[in-house]
Amino acid sequence: MKNIAVVGSQWGDEGKGKIVDWLSEQADVVVRFQGGHNAGHTLVIKGVTYKLRLLPSGIVRKNKISIIGNGVVVDPWALLDEIEEIRSKGVDVNVDNFIISEAANLILPFHIEMDEIREDIAGKGKIGTTRRGIGPAYEDKVGRRSIRVMDLRSENNLDQRLESVLDHHNAIRKGLRKNLVKKDKLKSELLKIAPKILQFSQPVWLKIDEFKKQNKKILFEGAQGILLDVDHGTYPYVTSSNTVASSAATGSGCGPNSINYVLGITKAYTTRVGAGPFPTELTDKVGELLGTRGKEFGTVTSRKRRCGWFDGVLVRQTIKISGIDGIALTKLDVLDELDEIKMCIEYELDGKKLDYLPAAVEDQLKIKPIYKTFPGWKTSTNGIKNMDLLPENAKKYIFAVEKFIGAKVSSVSTSPERDDTILVENPFNI
């Protein structure tokens, strides 16, 4: 039985929602394993649009079990709001189809405030976070002072845990001349929502072990992209979690041998939200065209995405780092109107050629892309479901991408609609 991990091979926003939705129809269990409500997946099913931030994509399908793993940081109020929002669209969320890890760490209001404070005072040095408290929550997790879902069970335990975390945060807030957080008020607010959260709480590692013994197909759903990984991304312009495929094991409580196939969602061009290096960024009419045709605005923040040519060097690098077996190439139809299409195949740094992205941010900001140019196809690929029906130049571009990055193109997406996909191989059936 195949278990699949789905990750973004670029800076996120690669179109994971559509692919994960398609795969979740075949899966029995869908697991979110990192990130928070800073990453969004948009699903369009039978004309209804679902914008998910914390809930796994499998939640919109009947007879699927959706799990939030221990690697996710959870804003409990945002989660409850999202559950109510999705219920209003006819989706049932109950204790039988939704589980949240008892070990998941909580995002609290002071995390969000700290995120905002630090971005505001950073000026030109700001990271470009979504200001949802993700980073500060992960800091408290690593600092061993975080509040976890399980801490909501006991008022006495919650009081002690809040004392610990607020000693830290209030000392910083005092230094920044900000109002101190009142423990009793926050404790009261948490105890009020505790039963609503705890009803879904279980030891996820144990449930996954049960599902494996039952030969259920498990889909591990990543958020963001590998280039935002805190270890392997364009640091410090990264998220605060590990976005690589191996985090599926850590963030859910199963061994790495539980993952049988890694699928990298890969856009046919490149986008990025927020600040940070972007070697192939286009600030001309082509960049505007990609943004307009691709509707490049963030699902969660509505921020306009920066657009550029496909960076083969970067994707080849993320494939090696994350052990990607195959890629799902998305948004091919966005390139339909272009006379020519470029792919970055090498970098130049201080007069020297490089075939990888250097780790130092000052080098990343200086490198210049070296391109290979392909003729455009100047005809619509929208909705095509068969590789043979694609224009010849489109097929040549796809095969060139596949050869350069060293991973098979397992599917090609030709529109936002879930059925408009050219399937080369099904990861669940390999």
Side-chain angles (χ1 to χ4, degrees), residues 162-197:
L162 284 171
E163 191 80 40
S164 173
V165 72
L166 290 181
D167 280 347
H168 173 81
H169 277 271
N170 278 337
I172 296 173
R173 293 172 74 95
K174 185 176 182 180
L176 294 171
R177 299 180 181 178
K178 301 294 180 181
N179 293 333
L180 303 187
V181 179
K182 296 179 179 179
K183 183 189 71 173
D184 290 342
K185 182 175 183 295
L186 179 55
K187 183 176 76 170
S188 175
E189 292 170 347
L190 283 169
L191 289 173
K192 184 178 179 181
I193 64 167
K196 298 179 181 179
I197 297 295

Side-chain angles (χ1 to χ4, degrees), residues 379-397:
T379 186
S380 177
T381 61
N382 188 280
I384 291 178
K385 301 179 179 66
N386 188 310
M387 187 74 80
D388 293 335
L389 299 179
L390 285 175
E392 282 302 312
N393 284 346
K395 287 190 281 188
K396 288 178 182 177
Y397 178 67

Side-chain angles (χ1 to χ4, degrees), residues 83-155:
I83 289 173
E84 287 308 307
E85 179 185 335
I86 203 113
R87 280 174 173 165
S88 72
K89 296 188 176 185
V91 176
D92 189 20
V93 181
N94 56 60
V95 296
D96 293 320
N97 70 354
F98 177 56
I99 301 170
I100 179 171
S101 171
E102 60 184 3
N105 292 260
L106 299 182
I107 300 173
L108 300 177
F110 56 80
H111 291 130
I112 299 169
E113 292 170 9
M114 184 56 63
D115 212 354
E116 293 172 342
I117 290 167
R118 291 199 301 213
E119 278 290 276
D120 289 340
I121 64 177
K124 293 181 179 180
K126 65 178 60 178
I127 300 297
T129 78
T130 54
R131 296 171 178 252
R132 278 166 167 73
I134 312 297
Y138 272 116
E139 288 176 34
D140 281 347
K141 174 182 177 178
V142 175
R144 295 165 295 192
R145 54 183 172 263
S146 186
I147 309 295
R148 300 195 288 176
V149 169
M150 66 181 73
D151 295 323
L152 299 178
R153 294 176 186 157
S154 161
E155 181 177 350

